């Protein structure tokens, strides 16, 4: 007969590992989705409405930035009358107007281009993370065979291990959800920074916005790389099980090795934005 305490320890650890595998599979699914299809497209509909409402504000800022750019770069009134001066600023104004009016198409095109990087990696190296975390049979058997007193330390190991795994799981998935909400915010507010392209001095604001948005899009590729590295790392260096050790030591050693692998993946995913910023920093 299996003791209740032993079963609780095994079930607790298996439930924590099941949560990790579930969140990892959800992460892989999310990173391959587009903002238009995320959560059935309902959030995207709200973003489109906000974007459309801000296009009018963007046009107003467009005129303001254009006027500021013309008068700040003109050394004299005579320079304002030069055809090349007027043509240069007129072309800049038209470019900014197109960017404000077609901002939604520009943002989705940038996302599609950056998403192609992740798709290329996934197509060449695999379409999913194949390695899942499981509790070895040797550890399950050892835990079930210990007595009540010997199982008390296992409760603590089980509690700490399952808590760590659960926390890592939610940090992992929250990071990916946070990326999606940043994509939505950038897309909704894009008419405002795009209007800054109308002025020569203010165009740096628009350039910084585009660079930041490209960085957020490329985070998806970094997350895909991290998942593939984790899968390869786990398959080539799977946590070992020493059956000669006591059950509590065996469980603690296995969870320590597995927790390190999980911590590596979580750190890579969590630091994806910092890594992309370093790549784009001058």
């Amino acid at each position: 007969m299996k003791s209740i305490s032993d079963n609780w320890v095994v079930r607790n650890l298996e439930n924590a590992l099941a949560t990790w595998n579930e969140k990892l599979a959800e992460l892989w699914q999310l990173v391959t989705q587009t903002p238009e299809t995320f959560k059935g497209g309902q959030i995207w509909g709200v973003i489109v409405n906000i974007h459309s409402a801000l296009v009018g504000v963007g046009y107003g800022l467009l005129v303001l930035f254009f006027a500021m750019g013309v008068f700040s770069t003109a050394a004299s009134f005579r320079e304002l009358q030069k055809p090349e001066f007027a043509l240069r600023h007129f072309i800049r104004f038209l470019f900014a107007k197109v960017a404000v009016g077609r901002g939604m198409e520009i943002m989705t095109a940038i996302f599609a281009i950056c998403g192609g990087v992740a798709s290329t990696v996934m197509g060449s190296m695999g379409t999913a993370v194949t390695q899942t975390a499981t509790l070895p049979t040797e550890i399950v058997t050892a835990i079930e065979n210990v007595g009540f007193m010997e199982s008390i330390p296992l409760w603590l190991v089980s509690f700490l291990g399952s808590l760590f795994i659960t926390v890592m799981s939610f940090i992992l998935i929250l990071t990916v959800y946070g990326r999606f909400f940043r994509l939505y915010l950038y897309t909704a507010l894009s008419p405002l920074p795009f209007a800054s392209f109308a002025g020569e001095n203010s165009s740096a604001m628009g350039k910084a916005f585009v660079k930041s948005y490209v960085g957020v899009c490329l985070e998806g590729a970094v997350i895909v790389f991290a998942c593939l590295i984790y899968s390869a790392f786990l398959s080539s260096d799977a946590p070992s099980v020493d059956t000669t050790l006591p059950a509590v030591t065996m469980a603690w050693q296995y969870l320590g090795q597995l927790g390190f692998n999980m911590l590596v993946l979580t750190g890579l995913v969590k630091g994806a934005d910092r890594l992309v910023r370093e790549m784009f920093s001058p």
Side-chain angles (χ1 to χ4, degrees), residues 101-133:
R102 298 291 182 180
M104 183 65 70
E105 291 84 349
I106 294 173
M107 301 296 280
T108 53
I110 293 174
F111 181 86
I113 294 172
C114 295
V117 178
S119 300
T120 301
V121 174
M122 291 161 55
S124 60
M125 300 187 65
T127 57
V129 178
T130 57
Q131 294 296 323
T132 57

Side-chain angles (χ1 to χ4, degrees), residues 10-89:
V10 173
R11 287 198 305 269
N12 191 37
L13 290 175
E14 289 180 340
N15 289 336
L17 293 176
T19 301
W20 169 263
N21 294 329
E22 176 186 348
K23 296 305 178 185
L24 190 60
E26 185 179 358
L27 178 149
W28 190 259
Q29 182 182 10
L30 287 174
V31 82
T32 57
Q33 282 187 333
T34 62
E36 296 96 319
T37 59
F38 179 67
K39 294 299 181 182
Q42 295 180 355
I43 303 176
W44 181 253
V46 176
I47 297 304
V48 170
N49 293 333
I50 296 174
H51 177 91
S52 301
L54 290 178
V55 168
V57 180
Y59 282 138
L61 290 175
L62 183 72
V63 176
L64 176 62
F65 285 127
F66 175 73
M68 292 172 57
V70 169
F71 289 106
S72 63
T73 56
S76 63
F77 180 75
R78 180 172 296 181
E79 188 173 353
L80 291 173
Q81 297 175 324
K82 293 181 180 180
E84 61 273 14
F85 181 87
L87 180 62
R88 175 163 57 91
H89 283 277

Side-chain angles (χ1 to χ4, degrees), residues 18 22 37 46 56 58 94-95 107 134 153 155 160 175 178 234 240-241 255 260 270:
E22 176 186 348
T37 59
V46 176
L94 287 180
F95 174 77
M107 301 296 280
T134 57
W155 297 351
L160 294 177
T175 302
L234 195 61
S240 58
V241 178
L255 290 176
F260 176 78
K270 188 71 176 175

